[in-house]
Amino acid sequence: MNTHDLSQFIVFAALVSVLAVPLGHYLMRVFTGQPIWLERVFGPLERLIYRLADVKVEEEHYWLNYAAALLIFNALGAGLLFLLLSYQNYLPWNPQQLPGLAPDLAFNVTVSFITNTNWQSYSGETTLSYFSQMVGLTVQNFLSAATGLAVAIALIRALTRREQHTLGNFYVDMTRTTLYVLLPIAFVVALVLIQQGVPENMHAYVTATTLEHATQTIPEGPVASQIAIKQIGTNGGGFFNANSAHPYENPTPLSNLIEMICIVLLPAALVISFGKMVGDRRQGRALMVSMTVLFLGSFLFCYLAEAHGNPAFTAFGVDQTISKQNPGGNMEGKEVRFGILNSTLWATLTTATSNGSVNAMHDSFTPLGGLVPLFNILLGEVIYGGVGCGLYGILIYVMITVFIAGLMVGRTPEYLGKKIEAREIKLAVLAMMLYPTCILGLGVASLLIPEALKSISNAGPHGLTQVIYTYASAAGNNGSAFAGFNANTFYQNIVIGIVILIGRFGIILPVLAIAGSLVTKKITPISNGTFPTHGPMFIILLTSIIILFGGLTYFPALALGPIAEQFSFSQPPTQP
Amino acid sequence: MTRKPTRRGLFNPTLIVEAALNAFFKLNPLELIKNPVMFTVGVASLTSTMITIRDIFLFKPFALEIQITLWLWFTVLFGNFAEAMAEGRGKAQAEALRKTKIETMAKKLSHLKSAEYKLVSAVQLRAGDFVLIESGDIIPGDGDVVTGIATVDESAITGESAPVIRESGGDRSAVTGGTRVVSDCIVVEIRTNPGETFLDRMIGLVEGAKRQKTPNEIALNILLIGLTLIFLIVCVTLQGFAAYSGKMVPVIYLIALLITLIPTTIGGLLSAIGIAGMDRLVTFNVIAKSGRAVEAAGDIDVLLLDKTGTITLGNRMAAEFIPVHEVTEQELADAAMLASLTDDTPEGKSIVRLAEVRFNWHAEHYRKPDMVFVPFSAYTRMSGVDTNGISIRKGAPDAILKLCGQKTPVEITRAIQKVAKTGGTPLLVARDQNLLGVIHLKDIIKPDIRERFAMLRKMGIRTVMITGDNPLTAAAIAAEAGVDDFLAEASPEKKLELIRLEQAQGKLIAMCGDGSNDAPALAQADVGVAMNTGTMAAREAGNMIDLDSNPTKLIEVVVIGKQLLMSRGALTTFSIANDVAKYFAIIPALFVGIFPAMQVLNIMRLGSPESAILSAIIFNALILIALIPLALKGVRYRPASASAVLRRNLLIYGLGGLIVPFAGIKAIDIVVSHFMGI
């Protein structure tokens, strides 16, 4: 890594660290109902919402009620969004007079946005009206992020409460998260992005004539407001098809830096809040260290793979070294203005968290470089992870880790004083089995069913990688794609939509059930016989288990995908 | 039969032969399905057998298939063998236990006061029956003495040859079937029906027949099933990925991959570990009512111990003569020594020794032929000697005072109080019904008890001493013994309250007790260990019974409980870590045909794809059998902090599990490819 790239990375890492700590503290105050300054501004609005919706603030939910409230809330949101997309031609703010979406596409977009996935099998500028983008998608960007946070908060409460039965009030959690966390941050970020040149208007598209006298349509729209929440809420769904590689979504180096920080800020801050909320900051720190080790490892691997360039080009004598004049490395599918560092850093961030926005095309990464974003998703997006879901995702791994470690020290496993017993393990295993079932099971179907096979643009190992990536991205609610894959077919829209739903609610329900079981348990005080879940041994074990489980489950498929593709470089090219 | 910890050799030839035979019987699908991991291996073996047979008839090459199939069957058989070994060892234990259940005749009374009895077989007795047991009779079943007092030889179950006293009422009323009354006669109310005695329960447990899975075992089983299912998905879908990539993989190879990946090592040894744990418990003379209790013992945070007999020797030692009135110390010592000359109890001997040391006497010189000794009896609670027309008695203060029949002198009261305050026990000495003074019997802290408590502390267990002593005395003894805390002037209510308080904080409590008044506390505690000498009520309330009535035995129980979990955890870790090497052996072997460059992944440089797959499956089977001794003996536990234990086990079973198969598979591959030409 040259000094330039290194400095950029250090600036990025430093800014995230500086911002995440106070934000983590602030989140803790919001979730635990402590007084915060913003209540003076939004307090009346908050109370008005409760009054209008008939929410009884003191009334707490049992886990089943909490889950039911969450499901009903999301189902209503889904119904509304589906109608809105299907009939956008009858709705206002449609200067391009775009037609309503076909049912299969509308279904796919709907489940994709209510689940914080933002998988896009359409291109925004040619498919969606401003009304659909603003009232439909942007609203769901907020609500899906808030839903993830609510589940995480419920789980944290379960870990801290002694022999109780309720997890909090879902509606209150949603309202406070949206009002005091997501809206204010999104507002500030949107303003900064507008200042940087991201459009925020309702104009019709502009037609321009280029120097070569070709006509070009330049799309416009309320972009900044959607980009802000898409990054902060780990949603990732772009306003434009090119996502954050598009100059209107991501115009300047500063906007790129800000957007990268926004990807990881809330997930990282939440880990800090976790430590504070469970009353032992070391617990949060342990998770943070484990995540950061995984992150640095995957980022470095990706960076080095891309910086190394394409061996096929090297064979032709192409200079791929990174220098001031030469972005170097494998630049296919990357913006020259971002170069290797910002492209690989973004790719790692967006898949480590469950964001899914891209500023470079993962499909065009070298096989091993592209393996990193894929592997990050396959691990379950627990390296910081999505807003809320990253935390509860890694806590599932923690349960398994603690269980194995607990057995090894000869004591019934416990985490933060809560005994991890058959019920928790059953639910955790159930959650962990969902991903491989969806990704491998339906991935294979996509490779064998002729109807599905049409979506693949490259034959051979790369096509296999495209499919696994697609299904991993759907199951993990990431939303990024190996862009060569054509997902807008009836089969893929429906199947991917179903996988997205399973990947979201198939995890949330077991997590809430675990919370419901943990909340009733005693908290065993720490003794010398308790295995500490904040020390280096735990961090090493947790990190190894995450890698081991991911590796063991997906190694054969990855061997036939990216690994086989990488090896094909070293093979003499076959004559056509 | 004495059952001091018996260490049978791990590999007793008869046991091995029997277990090897049983391994085949356990192939019964109905048996096998109880263990989902091994059931999967069974189904895989069957499938692979059918494929092999098909290929034999289709004249296809089948040499490798036969070998893979055989090793798959071996894997199942080895797992069965481990379980059969554990059961076999348990059966041997059970046999030993059964020997105590000699077929006896009982003298059944029609009602409590009946003078007539009817001879019936012991197995016909039901709870609530009264039986008369006279000197020399075998006690026909577990029960409580309702009338009378007797000395009972319990060596059959405890191995302790000295007879013990059992009497109605009080804390020593319980009798155990199979023991023998040596003197006197008692009426016992039978408390258990045949087949429900403690021995019956324990026999069921060690034989593995009635063994219920413990909570952690259930949780682990779920995790193992989950892993098995995940690997099943991996292997089934792999065929699809391979088909897309250009070439299907022989099904038998996929079966081999599946079996090497699923956690067969822990799956095959899981029940053996559980049975062996129970078995180990019996060798320590502890009877558990369930495996759950043993596992809970491993989680204990606080241990409540009675002072007497646990922290201090039950026997006290004479430390001081305290004369009263004009009596000199020498006079008192002389009387006390004479009264104790034939007293064989440790207390009596210690009085003689103290007198000898204090005044440089030689006790034997004082023995006279005309001396008539009055031995200690449970009724008089005193002993003494009549010589030269003088009668000397020593004994419990109230008994002696009653004998003397006078008002208690102030000096005596003061001396008694002084002794009591330092945690000692006073004995009174009287000559011709005149009080001479007090002997101070001192509590002696058991010699190794400090180390035992330090060990418990290292395990993270806090010890609390329970005593009827006043707080001052209790504090002195607690400090000397090195316990962490004490509960003085303990009443049954106070004990119960203490347990509830600790439990409310989320702690798991173990408690040892013997008295009837301990029963509520024993029932409330998470692990209640009743002493075999205790009352039936206490024994019913506890979930373990210590046949040796040695409360520090709990340390062994805790260790066994921890070993149970550690063995499972260690083997699970080992199993999962093994998979890395197996992937590196099998994946290149499967796909080198499609992608020749895949050879790079063959980092072990295994001879050929066929030898690689075969080596992996052979390693998988052999490691199972290699780990049987570990499963039966349990992973070693050394008291240390949880982090230290984890670090050690992670290094051995985690890192070891990662490295060992690389070496093992490579070694097997060398043998297979060089000597068998595969």
Side-chain angles (χ1 to χ4, degrees):
Chain A
M1 203 180 276
N2 64 25
T3 47
H4 230 85
D5 284 359
L6 189 63
S7 322
Q8 286 192 43
F9 179 75
I10 289 172
V11 168
F12 162 78
L15 282 173
V16 171
S17 316
V18 167
L19 290 170
V21 174
L23 182 59
H25 183 73
Y26 174 76
L27 289 178
M28 183 268 288
R29 295 185 72 88
V30 173
F31 301 147
T32 51
Q34 295 179 41
I36 41 174
W37 177 81
L38 268 176
E39 273 172 341
R40 288 189 226 163
V41 185
F42 290 125
L45 179 57
E46 184 188 355
R47 286 187 289 277
L48 180 71
I49 292 173
Y50 295 153
R51 208 166 36 246
L52 287 179
D54 195 22
V55 173
K56 294 181 186 60
V57 180
E58 325 72 45
E59 204 177 87
E60 295 220 333
H61 291 147
Y62 296 96
W63 84 263
L64 263 174
N65 301 10
Y66 202 94
L70 183 147
L71 288 180
I72 292 168
F73 186 86
N74 275 279
L76 287 178
L80 195 68
L81 182 59
F82 183 82
L83 291 176
L84 208 144
L85 294 170
S86 303
Y87 302 105
Q88 64 171 356
N89 44 335
Y90 301 112
L91 294 167
W93 299 339
N94 190 357
Q96 300 309 118
Q97 289 166 11
L98 297 162
L101 272 57
D104 62 317
L105 181 59
F107 164 74
N108 187 283
V109 178
T110 300
V111 299
S112 168
F113 275 78
I114 62 156
T115 56
N116 202 275
T117 310
N118 301 24
W119 168 265
Q120 294 169 296
S121 52
Y122 62 93
S123 12
E125 57 268 47
T126 58
T127 318
L128 295 181
S129 73
Y130 294 161
F131 192 85
S132 297
Q133 297 265 30
M134 277 184 91
V135 182
L137 304 191
T138 306
V139 167
Q140 285 304 328
N141 276 352
F142 279 98
L143 297 183
S144 62
T147 302
L149 274 175
V151 175
I153 300 163
L155 183 57
I156 298 176
R157 287 204 189 106
L159 285 166
T160 52
R161 293 182 172 180
R162 268 166 220 266
E163 299 179 83
Q164 292 184 27
H165 295 279
T166 56
L167 298 174
N169 185 310
F170 173 73
Y171 303 110
V172 173
D173 290 338
M174 286 292 282
T175 314
R176 288 182 69 84
T177 306
T178 312
L179 280 185
Y180 298 123
V181 181
L182 298 174
L183 267 176
I185 303 177
F187 184 72
V188 175
V189 173
L191 285 187
V192 177
L193 289 179
I194 290 171
Q195 192 278 329
Q196 287 295 300
V198 180
E200 180 75 20
N201 59 44
M202 294 294 196
H203 301 326
Y205 296 175
V206 175
T207 309
T209 310
T210 65
L211 287 175
E212 296 98 4
H213 299 289
T215 37
Q216 184 187 358
T217 310
I218 301 174
E220 301 275 338
V223 185
S225 55
Q226 189 176 333
I227 300 311
I229 186 60
K230 131 192 166 191
Q231 297 302 91
I232 289 162
T234 57
N235 293 284
F239 196 91
F240 304 115
N241 188 35
N243 211 306
S244 288
H246 195 290
Y248 272 5
E249 281 204 15
N250 187 6
T252 66
L254 184 60
S255 74
N256 191 63
L257 178 65
I258 291 169
E259 289 181 20
M260 283 200 300
I261 291 172
C262 286
I263 290 178
V264 75
L265 190 55
L266 258 186
L270 188 61
V271 179
I272 295 168
S273 327
F274 166 75
K276 290 185 184 233
M277 285 174 77
V278 300
D280 182 359
R281 274 186 271 177
R282 295 173 305 176
Q283 303 293 344
R285 212 175 298 150
L287 298 188
M288 186 68 97
V289 170
S290 179
M291 289 168 163
T292 305
V293 166
L294 286 167
F295 176 76
L296 289 178
S298 58
F299 165 63
L300 267 181
F301 192 95
C302 186
Y303 176 86
L304 292 175
E306 291 307 298
H308 189 251
N310 186 335
F313 287 174
T314 316
F316 290 119
V318 176
D319 178 19
Q320 294 185 86
T321 47
I322 300 174
S323 67
K324 272 181 194 162
Q325 285 77 32
N326 188 4
N330 168 35
M331 281 302 291
E332 182 195 315
K334 294 186 183 64
E335 291 279 288
V336 179
R337 58 197 178 116
F338 297 140
I340 300 294
L341 176 95
N342 283 296
S343 302
T344 53
L345 182 54
W346 188 301
T348 315
L349 281 170
T350 197
T351 50
T353 70
S354 160
N355 188 293
S357 65
V358 290
N359 74 351
M361 296 302 124
H362 298 173
D363 192 37
S364 300
F365 278 26
T366 60
L368 290 185
L371 175 66
V372 170
L374 174 55
F375 196 61
N376 281 346
I377 301 176
L378 289 175
L379 291 183
E381 294 164 330
V382 292
I383 313 175
Y384 311 117
V387 173
C389 39
L391 186 68
Y392 63 69
I394 200 163
L395 286 178
I396 290 179
Y397 275 116
V398 167
M399 308 262 159
I400 303 283
T401 307
V402 164
F403 182 72
I404 292 175
L407 290 185
M408 269 201 288
V409 299
R411 213 178 138 92
T412 297
E414 56 199 51
Y415 184 57
L416 305 178
K418 297 277 189 178
K419 291 226 180 299
I420 306 298
E421 291 163 299
R423 184 172 163 77
E424 287 75 36
I425 291 299
K426 196 188 294 173
L427 292 161
V429 167
L430 183 74
M432 288 190 61
M433 279 182 56
L434 279 180
Y435 284 153
T437 311
C438 288
I439 297 170
L440 296 175
L442 293 170
V444 145
S446 237
L447 289 170
L448 301 178
I449 298 172
E451 175 61 28
L453 208 51
K454 282 191 244 163
S455 299
I456 296 173
S457 63
N458 304 63
H462 193 76
L464 193 144
T465 313
Q466 283 182 344
V467 168
I468 297 176
Y469 195 100
T470 300
Y471 280 88
S473 175
N477 295 154
N478 183 279
S480 66
F482 256 36
F485 188 81
N486 170 27
N488 193 6
T489 66
F490 182 80
Y491 174 88
Q492 299 292 5
N493 272 335
I494 299 296
V495 177
I496 290 173
I498 291 169
V499 171
I500 287 173
L501 283 176
I502 296 175
R504 176 72 163 183
F505 300 106
I507 306 292
I508 284 182
L509 290 180
V511 166
L512 284 178
I514 289 176
S517 158
L518 288 178
V519 78
T520 59
K521 297 191 182 194
K522 292 177 187 172
I523 294 184
T524 315
I526 292 163
S527 77
N528 198 22
T530 321
F531 149 62
T533 50
H534 55 74
M537 279 323 286
F538 176 76
I539 295 171
I540 292 173
L541 191 60
L542 174 64
T543 314
S544 322
I545 283 191
I546 292 174
I547 298 176
L548 210 58
F549 269 71
L552 291 179
T553 313
Y554 301 106
F555 182 71
L558 293 177
L560 290 176
I563 296 173
E565 192 186 356
Q566 179 71 26
F567 287 146
S568 67
F569 279 148
S570 47
Q571 294 297 107
T574 45
Q575 293 300 317
Chain B
M1 180 206 71
T2 54
R3 287 189 309 101
K4 286 285 126 189
T6 43
R7 284 265 151 248
R8 274 158 296 112
L10 251 188
F11 291 107
N12 176 331
T14 24
L15 273 184
I16 290 185
V17 173
E18 212 170 293
L21 271 174
N22 279 330
F24 285 92
F25 290 117
K26 282 172 178 287
L27 286 177
N28 177 354
L30 292 176
E31 277 285 311
L32 215 51
I33 199 150
K34 289 180 196 156
N35 183 340
V37 177
M38 291 323 271
F39 183 74
T40 310
V41 186
V43 172
S45 313
L46 201 63
T47 316
S48 134
T49 308
M50 292 192 294
I51 292 174
T52 311
I53 293 172
R54 180 197 69 187
D55 286 354
I56 290 173
F57 282 99
L58 292 178
F59 300 100
K60 284 187 180 166
F62 58 86
L64 182 65
E65 289 179 358
I66 278 195
Q67 296 192 56
I68 290 177
T69 305
L70 281 178
W71 283 103
L72 287 176
W73 281 118
F74 283 147
T75 313
V76 190
L77 288 173
F78 290 166
N80 289 348
F81 175 72
E83 194 179 282
M85 269 298 279
E87 282 175 2
R89 284 157 57 84
K91 280 211 180 81
Q93 284 279 19
E95 220 40 62
L97 286 171
R98 258 201 203 100
K99 278 193 194 140
T100 64
K101 297 183 44 150
I102 311 160
E103 183 64 15
T104 44
M105 296 306 282
K107 297 167 179 168
K108 188 181 161 194
L109 303 171
S110 53
H111 57 90
L112 181 54
K113 302 280 178 220
S114 160
E116 300 281 299
Y117 63 78
K118 204 168 70 181
L119 267 182
V120 295
S121 164
V123 290
Q124 290 175 305
L125 292 175
R126 294 289 178 273
D129 287 348
F130 294 102
V131 288
L132 175 71
I133 303 154
E134 290 170 306
S135 179
D137 289 350
I138 303 272
I139 296 176
D142 294 358
D144 267 325
V145 181
V146 280
T147 50
I149 178 168
T151 42
V152 179
D153 173 10
E154 294 195 336
S155 60
I157 54 166
T158 62
E160 183 60 57
S161 54
V164 291
I165 292 173
R166 291 285 176 262
E167 57 183 325
S168 59
D171 288 349
R172 291 171 180 275
S173 62
V175 287
T176 311
T179 57
R180 196 166 54 86
V181 170
V182 201
S183 72
D184 303 306
C185 99
I186 45 175
V187 175
V188 167
E189 182 178 356
I190 298 295
R191 298 285 193 202
T192 52
N193 291 324
E196 290 171 11
T197 62
F198 294 122
L199 277 177
D200 291 320
R201 287 194 212 176
M202 195 63 194
I203 288 168
L205 277 177
V206 292
E207 280 187 331
K210 285 192 199 142
R211 207 176 67 88
Q212 282 180 326
K213 287 197 175 104
T214 55
N216 281 313
E217 197 179 352
I218 294 171
L220 179 58
N221 227 347
I222 293 168
L223 181 68
L224 297 181
I225 294 172
L227 285 174
T228 306
L229 285 175
I230 288 178
F231 285 125
L232 193 64
I233 295 169
V234 169
C235 291
V236 170
T237 55
L238 188 57
Q239 186 68 297
F241 288 123
Y244 166 84
S245 303
K247 201 169 148 198
M248 302 262 269
V249 177
V251 173
I252 213 158
Y253 288 5
L254 280 180
I255 290 176
L257 177 63
L258 173 68
I259 297 311
T260 52
L261 289 180
I262 64 173
T264 47
T265 314
I266 177 66
L269 299 175
L270 194 56
S271 55
I273 293 171
I275 298 168
M278 283 295 143
D279 182 52
R280 236 172 302 139
L281 202 60
V282 181
T283 60
F284 281 108
N285 270 358
V286 177
I287 288 180
K289 291 189 192 165
S290 70
R292 181 185 277 259
V294 184
E295 206 173 67
D299 292 348
I300 288 307
D301 299 296
V302 182
L303 172 54
L304 305 185
L305 292 161
D306 253 337
K307 181 195 76 178
T308 313
T310 309
I311 294 164
T312 58
L313 289 169
N315 318 316
R316 299 160 185 229
M317 306 291 264
E320 196 186 351
F321 297 112
I322 309 169
V324 289
H325 305 300
E326 281 80 49
V327 183
T328 60
E329 192 193 343
Q330 194 160 358
E331 209 179 338
L332 170 62
D334 180 59
M337 183 179 71
L338 290 180
S340 310
L341 271 178
T342 53
D343 186 347
D344 273 342
T345 63
E347 284 92 349
K349 285 181 182 161
S350 80
I351 293 171
V352 174
R353 200 169 312 121
L354 179 70
E356 285 180 325
V357 172
R358 287 285 288 126
F359 300 103
N360 216 3
W361 293 334
H362 205 296
E364 281 310 306
H365 297 166
Y366 294 84
R367 202 184 275 271
K368 303 256 165 54
D370 69 326
M371 284 180 166
V372 178
F373 292 99
V374 181
F376 179 84
S377 93
Y379 286 118
T380 58
R381 288 164 59 225
M382 62 175 83
S383 64
V385 64
D386 293 330
T387 175
N388 259 343
I390 311 169
S391 121
I392 306 173
R393 293 287 181 276
K394 68 168 207 295
D398 50 337
I400 297 287
L401 286 172
K402 208 171 131 196
L403 175 79
C404 298
Q406 55 195 33
K407 260 191 73 186
T408 318
V410 184
E411 252 182 295
I412 287 286
T413 317
R414 211 171 289 145
I416 289 174
Q417 276 173 357
K418 182 187 152 203
V419 171
K421 257 178 205 158
T422 53
T425 307
L427 281 188
L428 287 192
V429 183
R431 189 173 56 200
D432 290 340
Q433 307 188 357
N434 288 318
L435 291 167
L436 296 180
V438 176
I439 305 172
H440 179 179
L441 291 181
K442 209 178 161 187
D443 269 325
I444 304 295
I445 307 275
K446 282 190 176 174
D448 58 343
I449 202 79
R450 267 194 96 86
E451 289 73 52
R452 300 287 265 177
F453 289 141
M455 206 188 242
L456 281 165
R457 201 167 304 120
K458 266 192 187 170
M459 293 176 179
I461 298 172
R462 201 163 62 92
T463 42
V464 179
M465 177 181 89
I466 296 181
T467 168
D469 296 339
N470 63 61
L472 269 175
T473 316
I477 296 174
E480 200 182 335
V483 292
D484 299 307
D485 207 348
F486 63 85
L487 178 71
E489 289 166 355
S491 61
E493 295 76 38
K494 268 181 135 179
K495 287 185 204 177
L496 201 58
E497 196 185 321
L498 176 71
I499 294 178
R500 290 211 173 117
L501 198 76
E502 298 273 7
Q503 283 176 332
Q505 293 168 20
K507 292 178 187 160
L508 278 177
I509 316 296
M511 141 115 202
C512 298
D514 49 8
S516 285
N517 55 17
D518 285 336
L522 282 173
Q524 178 71 33
D526 301 282
V527 175
V529 183
M531 301 296 109
N532 193 46
T533 53
T535 58
M536 202 65 195
R539 290 165 33 159
E540 285 289 352
N543 40 22
M544 277 184 221
I545 294 165
D546 179 8
L547 296 176
D548 297 338
S549 304
N550 167 13
T552 48
K553 196 71 81 55
L554 227 145
I555 296 178
E556 270 77 37
V557 179
V558 167
V559 168
I560 290 172
K562 283 189 180 296
Q563 277 186 321
L564 266 177
L565 296 192
M566 283 167 59
S567 307
R568 294 189 196 126
L571 289 179
T572 306
T573 311
F574 187 83
S575 238
I576 298 172
N578 268 212
D579 283 357
V580 176
K582 291 167 183 171
Y583 263 139
F584 277 104
I586 296 186
I587 291 294
L590 289 184
F591 299 123
V592 79
I594 311 175
F595 302 106
M598 204 68 93
Q599 188 60 28
V600 180
L601 287 183
N602 181 7
I603 52 176
M604 282 175 269
R605 300 274 157 254
L606 302 179
S608 67
E610 291 77 18
S611 76
I613 291 169
L614 192 61
S615 306
I617 198 98
I618 292 178
F619 174 82
N620 194 52
L622 291 184
I623 198 73
L624 210 169
I625 209 153
L627 289 174
I628 289 179
L630 183 77
L632 295 185
K633 279 191 297 192
V635 166
R636 234 174 87 203
Y637 175 73
R638 264 193 252 141
S641 73
S643 332
V645 173
L646 181 70
R647 193 177 319 126
R648 194 184 120 88
N649 284 340
L650 259 188
L651 269 179
I652 299 177
Y653 300 99
L655 202 61
L658 211 57
I659 297 167
V660 166
F662 277 104
I665 292 177
K666 177 70 191 169
I668 296 171
D669 179 75
I670 291 174
V671 175
V672 165
S673 50
H674 284 255
F675 298 100
M676 295 164 67
I678 289 171

